[in-house]
Amino acid sequence: PLVDFFENPKATIKGVLDINYIFSDDYDVTKLFTKIVLKKPIDASKVKEINFKLPINKSDESQSIGQYYHDLSEHIWAGLPVKVQLIAEDYIGQKGESNEIEMLLPEKPFKNLIALSIINQRKNLSLNREQPFKVGKVLLEIADSKYLEEKLPVAKDWLLESSEILLQSKDNSLFTSDKKTFVIDLLWKTALFVESGQLSVAEN
């Protein structure tokens, strides 16, 4: 089977990955998916690659084209250099691969400075750039904002909850991978809430 990008993948204004592709095969393509790996792998990361299926919309022509939007803005790799590749497989097991395209994995643009600070600390934690307890200290400082106290007390509570968990991380037995995942998810929700208020509920 043959598969390739119809045009280079790109980011939408909302930070969603836009993929346009073309494929063909004499034996009918049964699987079509995208493979994404980091340009520079992170040794400490458990995530080695991202995979997701693409819709197979066949036409009467010898080649079929498709377009697919996939939101990876919440992924911990968002904003990092990656290599994107398309892979097709037919019903007799033959595989075809596209060329690899290098790009920055799309990320949601945050304009609110507090939300952006939260996202940066989320990256530091998820990509192991800083020790968890150091991230916890910074989140404690962000939570001390008068703006959050007066306008978004719920966001402040979420930051304090995240900080409390991270500040316990000096004792490694208390800081599990489940707790780390929980904090990463909570920080994303907090940043969205600060950025757009109640609209973040619908957007998330």
Side-chain angles (χ1 to χ4, degrees):
L2 300 175
V3 63
D4 208 349
F5 294 99
F6 192 70
E7 58 182 54
N8 285 353
K10 56 185 180 292
T12 69
I13 194 170
K14 289 286 189 178
V16 175
L17 183 61
D18 178 6
I19 296 179
N20 292 267
Y21 53 97
I22 185 168
F23 64 95
S24 63
D25 182 44
D26 294 336
Y27 296 97
D28 284 340
V29 171
T30 57
K31 293 180 182 178
L32 193 59
F33 63 94
T34 303
K35 175 184 174 182
I36 301 175
V37 297
L38 285 175
K39 186 176 179 180
K40 294 182 179 179
I42 300 173
D43 294 335
S45 176
K46 292 183 178 180
V47 182
K48 300 304 178 186
E49 63 182 49
I50 301 172
N51 293 289
F52 56 87
K53 293 181 180 180
L54 297 172
I56 302 173
N57 300 315
K58 297 177 183 176
S59 67
D60 294 332
E61 305 296 327
S62 59
Q63 294 180 322
S64 301
I65 61 174
Q67 182 178 27
Y68 188 64
Y69 296 96
H70 196 73
D71 189 356
L72 289 168
S73 59
E74 187 178 351
H75 199 279
I76 60 174
W77 290 359
L80 296 181
V82 296
K83 294 185 287 187
V84 187
Q85 186 178 39
L86 305 178
I87 300 174
E89 183 176 339
D90 60 26
Y91 80 92
I92 61 173
Q94 297 180 120
K95 288 186 178 181
E97 300 178 344
S98 71
N99 292 322
E100 288 183 330
I101 301 294
E102 294 185 2
M103 66 179 298
L104 292 179
L105 194 65
E107 61 181 335
K108 177 180 171 60
F110 286 89
K111 297 178 181 178
N112 183 289
L113 293 180
I114 295 178
L116 187 59
S117 297
I118 295 169
I119 284 298
N120 287 337
Q121 293 309 310
R122 180 180 185 264
K123 288 181 178 180
N124 288 341
L125 175 65
S126 60
L127 300 175
N128 302 309
R129 292 173 176 170
E130 292 282 0
Q131 293 295 326
F133 72 89
K134 290 185 178 179
V135 175
K137 287 182 178 180
V138 177
L139 293 180
L140 205 56
E141 295 174 1
I142 297 173
D144 198 37
S145 161
K146 287 185 178 180
Y147 174 78
L148 294 182
E149 178 73 38
E150 296 173 0
K151 303 290 186 181
L152 297 170
V154 173
K156 177 174 182 174
D157 289 343
W158 288 340
L159 285 176
L160 291 175
E161 182 180 359
S162 299
S163 177
E164 182 180 357
I165 293 172
L166 295 176
L167 290 175
Q168 295 173 351
S169 65
K170 282 191 174 182
D171 183 349
N172 290 329
S173 64
L174 295 177
F175 190 62
T176 63
S177 59
D178 287 342
K179 285 186 177 181
K180 183 176 181 179
T181 300
F182 173 80
V183 172
I184 289 171
D185 292 343
L186 185 56
L187 291 179
W188 176 259
K189 183 168 70 171
T190 305
L192 279 182
F193 189 77
V194 172
E195 176 75 12
S196 53
Q198 294 295 334
L199 292 176
S200 67
V201 177
E203 185 165 356
N204 199 24

